[in-house]
């Protein structure tokens, strides 16, 4: 480990070794945990064919399909709402802006189970009852993929908003001003200047939000349940674990780990300095 150019003296101090040692220890811990999962699964499956049979069980395939369908739907909703909100927090000054900025982070700091309980309370009172009745008239139920998307959205959207705000904060406002001076409207400036320059950060934020949505568990357990028609990867993992099928639970964990790892690779390729939130 060495100092970056211009960041300070190059001589190594005790702090250098302490920080470097902590980083190395943490990385080794993560690698050991991942390796343990693979080793355990390999021993439990007793061969590639058994492992393949484990991963292609009908229930697991259904859970994977449900997780991907709902999380991708959530991603679309997150991008459609999170990017404009991030832009508003980055560029506009308005009354109670600090309060709005704080409320964006509510579901980040709330225990996940509280999010599920809050949804239960909302749809059994006042305006929430009206929304639920409207969904029922459209032959939609909160105890379905619709409810799963609601849970995923509430948990994942702050990641997109924070990433969008950081990405727009990194755009040179002088370029936006030049665009306006040349006759572009606010929308044209956003579409032709701000959004393209912030694109990598926006995509990285979307990927982070999708990965977070994929792993939502507690709100779905509370608000939607674990019926056979609403199983996702996390809830299936819990059911397999609760019945003693540890190998199946670890297999699901491996699939989720691979998907999360691919998402992280993409995020760090798009935002190599880690300036996502």
């Amino acid at each position: 480990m060495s100092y970056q150019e211009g960041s300070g003296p190059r001589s190594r101090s005790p702090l250098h070794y302490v920080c470097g040692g902590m980083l190395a220890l943490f990385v080794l811990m993560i690698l050991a945990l991942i390796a343990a999962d693979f080793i355990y699964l390999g021993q439990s499956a007793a061969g590639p064919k058994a492992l393949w049979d484990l991963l292609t069980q009908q229930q697991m395939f259904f859970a994977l399909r449900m997780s991907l369908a709902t999380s991708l739907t959530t991603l679309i909703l997150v991008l459609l709402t999170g990017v404009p909100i991030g832009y508003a927090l980055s560029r506009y000054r308005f009354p109670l802006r600090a309060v709005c900025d704080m409320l964006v982070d509510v579901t980040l700091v709330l225990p996940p189970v509280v999010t599920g309980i809050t949804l239960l309370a909302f749809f059994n009172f006042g305006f929430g009852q009206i929304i639920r009745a409207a969904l029922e008239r459209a032959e939609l139920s909160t105890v379905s993929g619709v409810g799963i998307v609601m849970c995923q959205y509430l948990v994942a959207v702050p990641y997109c908003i924070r990433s969008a705000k950081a990405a727009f904060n990194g755009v040179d406002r002088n370029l936006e001003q030049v665009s306006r001076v040349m006759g572009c409207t606010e929308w044209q400036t956003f579409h032709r200047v701000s959004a393209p320059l912030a694109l990598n950060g926006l995509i990285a934020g979307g990927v982070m939000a999708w990965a977070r949505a994929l792993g939502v568990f507690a709100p779905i357990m509370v608000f939607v349940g674990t019926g056979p028609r609403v199983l996702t990867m996390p809830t299936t993992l819990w059911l397999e674990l609760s019945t003693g099928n540890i190998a199946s639970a670890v297999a699901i964990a491996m699939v989720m780990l691979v998907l999360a790892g691919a998402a992280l690779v993409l995020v760090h390729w798009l935002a190599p300095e880690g300036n996502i939130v």
Side-chain angles (χ1 to χ4, degrees):
M1 181 181 295
S2 61
Y3 287 98
Q4 293 183 357
E5 184 176 355
S7 63
R10 292 181 178 275
S11 60
R12 295 182 178 180
S13 67
L15 180 63
H16 174 98
Y17 293 104
V18 170
C19 295
M22 290 296 177
L23 174 61
L25 182 63
F26 182 77
V27 169
L28 287 173
M29 179 181 68
I30 298 300
L31 290 175
L33 291 172
I34 296 172
D37 286 337
F38 279 103
I39 293 171
Y40 181 89
L41 184 59
Q43 292 176 343
S44 301
K49 184 180 184 304
L51 176 59
W52 177 254
D53 291 340
L54 196 64
L55 290 172
T56 54
Q57 292 176 4
Q58 183 177 358
Q59 180 174 303
M60 288 196 184
F61 182 75
F62 177 87
L64 177 60
R65 186 176 60 184
M66 176 65 80
S67 287
L68 290 176
T70 54
S71 62
L72 290 174
T73 302
T74 299
L75 174 61
I76 294 172
L77 296 175
V78 161
L79 290 174
L80 288 175
T81 57
V83 172
I85 293 171
Y87 185 79
L89 291 174
S90 172
R91 288 295 185 266
Y92 303 144
R93 297 295 178 266
F94 48 88
L96 300 179
R97 178 181 176 275
V99 175
C100 294
D101 199 15
M102 177 187 67
L103 289 175
V104 164
D105 295 331
V106 165
T107 55
L108 286 176
V109 299
L110 277 180
V113 69
V114 175
T115 302
I117 293 172
T118 303
L119 281 169
L120 275 177
F122 175 77
F123 282 100
N124 283 279
F125 177 79
F127 186 60
Q129 286 182 316
I130 298 173
I131 296 176
R132 188 174 66 179
L135 289 173
E136 290 173 352
R137 285 195 295 271
E139 297 184 351
L140 297 172
S141 171
T142 55
V143 186
S144 66
V146 174
I148 294 173
V149 169
M150 290 179 184
C151 295
Q152 292 175 342
Y153 176 85
L154 284 176
V155 173
V157 71
Y159 292 87
C160 180
I161 294 173
R162 285 295 168 218
S163 299
K165 181 183 177 184
F168 287 124
N169 283 344
V171 174
D172 188 349
R173 300 194 183 196
N174 291 327
L175 297 177
E176 295 176 332
Q177 188 59 33
V178 169
S179 174
R180 297 186 187 98
V181 170
M182 294 179 66
C184 290
T185 64
E186 284 293 320
W187 169 253
Q188 289 172 329
T189 298
F190 172 83
H191 178 65
R192 297 177 181 177
V193 179
S194 306
L197 291 175
L199 186 59
N200 278 7
L202 298 179
I203 296 175
V207 173
M208 285 290 288
W210 170 78
R212 185 65 189 90
L214 191 68
V216 171
F217 169 66
I220 295 175
M221 285 285 293
V222 173
F223 183 58
V224 181
T226 58
R229 296 175 61 86
V230 290
L231 286 176
T232 62
M233 295 293 282
T235 54
T236 303
L237 187 154
W238 181 84
L239 288 174
E240 294 292 333
L241 189 61
S242 65
T243 56
N245 297 326
I246 299 179
S248 297
V250 174
I252 297 171
M254 288 297 96
V255 174
M256 295 179 66
L257 182 63
V258 169
L259 292 173
L264 282 174
V265 169
L266 181 58
V267 165
H268 285 275
W269 177 66
L270 292 168
E273 296 299 321
N275 298 322
I276 301 170
V277 295

